[in-house]
Amino acid sequence: MRGQDNFFSRHMVILPILISWVLGIIILFVPFAYSLDISRIIFIVPIGEFFGILIIYPFILTLLEGIFLFTVRGGDLLHKRERYVDVIVLVLGFVYTVFYVLFDVEWEDWYEVLINNQKHAPINTQTLPTILCIALVGFIGYMIVSFIPMQKMPPLLIVFGIAAMYLGCAEAVIWAIQTVPVGFGIFYLLFPLNCVFITARTVMVKVRQWKLLSFEKNKVQNSASLSICTRILEKSETWPLLAFLLMWPLLGALIAFLTLLGQAPDAIIKAWTETADWNLSNRIAPQNIQVDEHYLCTVAAGGHKKVVKPIRLGQRHGHEVIVNRQLCIANAFEQILEERTPKLHKRIRGFYDKYGFPISKLIHSKYVADFIYFIMKPLEWLFLIVLYLVDREPENRIAVQYMGESFESDKRR
């Protein structure tokens, strides 16, 4: 058992990654277990690794942090490898959360008009400097408390570090309240949960570490008032309460500093309330425009305007669609196929309906739509070459796409 403990301790950082890879591959491999086609296996392995790191790895790290918290015993020192895991969790937790948000919602304020089921940003974008500054202060507080040796750190600095961690942890909890169970739900909850685990464990460990050190020789005898302060600070049991009390003047100092930089004094409140579609939102957003987003090209046309360059609104199945040149070219190309090679068109259309529609249902963000737009670029160029090779007036054909029933059959992407 001792050997197992040592093995886990030595490989504490790499083991969760390997476990995530293995589980990701297994989860994707099970549906294809009946087939031993080597081409499928080669395809599944890298996708499974990506799935494991993106979806499973955050849960394993959270489980690991929970184990660290509930196995802390009196007198234990904070293991340096546990600190490395903490840093990985805090950094990757922030990165993963940003990824989930960009995939799940539009980073637009509550007053912007969105389309279909898109959601506005969970944080007012104008208050981002305040939110990021508090998060950074919380991270710095953790780094100070965890990585500076106790023998070299004054007790007041420890208390301020814990107070900074409290601020970051409180912000993470508010984020959880704002977003859960909306959107990605459990994925939005993981990062705040880890922040709570890390903060609680770090405070407990530091309080116990201080008890192991003797500072009797450093007591100040010259000033009665200073001696009282010293005695209070030397009682590590009071640090959590002192840190909570110091958290408020620290927050006030941060707000004053951010106000000088142009942030509103109440930005920390408006960040959550000046939003729509979320739990703490106080605003009612304009009604979303309902447009057809059934296929990849149509979805891509709904990306950021500077990227996809929409030119107008069109009609498809009686619904409005955002039209850009890529979409019109793709639809014109399909029209050519339908006219010249109906059998081939039927097969291509069947394949596209089978796979393109389910993929498009997963796309809810302008950033993902931008990505689809760039992926479709080579096909757009190919379609355009074909149009110019077989059509006498290709630009006219492109221009009239999605203009209504009088112009086309209205059954494209």
Side-chain angles (χ1 to χ4, degrees), residues 197-214:
F197 286 167
I198 292 172
T199 300
R201 190 188 83 246
T202 303
V203 171
M204 285 193 297
V205 170
K206 288 301 173 180
V207 167
R208 290 164 182 173
Q209 279 185 348
W210 187 265
K211 290 180 180 180
L212 301 177
L213 301 176
S214 175

Side-chain angles (χ1 to χ4, degrees), residues 22 31 48 64 81-82 89 111 157 274 282 304 312 353 371:
V22 173
L64 198 58
R81 292 191 179 93
E82 292 180 5
V89 168
Y111 47 79
L157 180 60
E274 293 293 304
N282 282 340
H304 288 93
R312 57 179 169 85
D353 287 345
F371 179 68

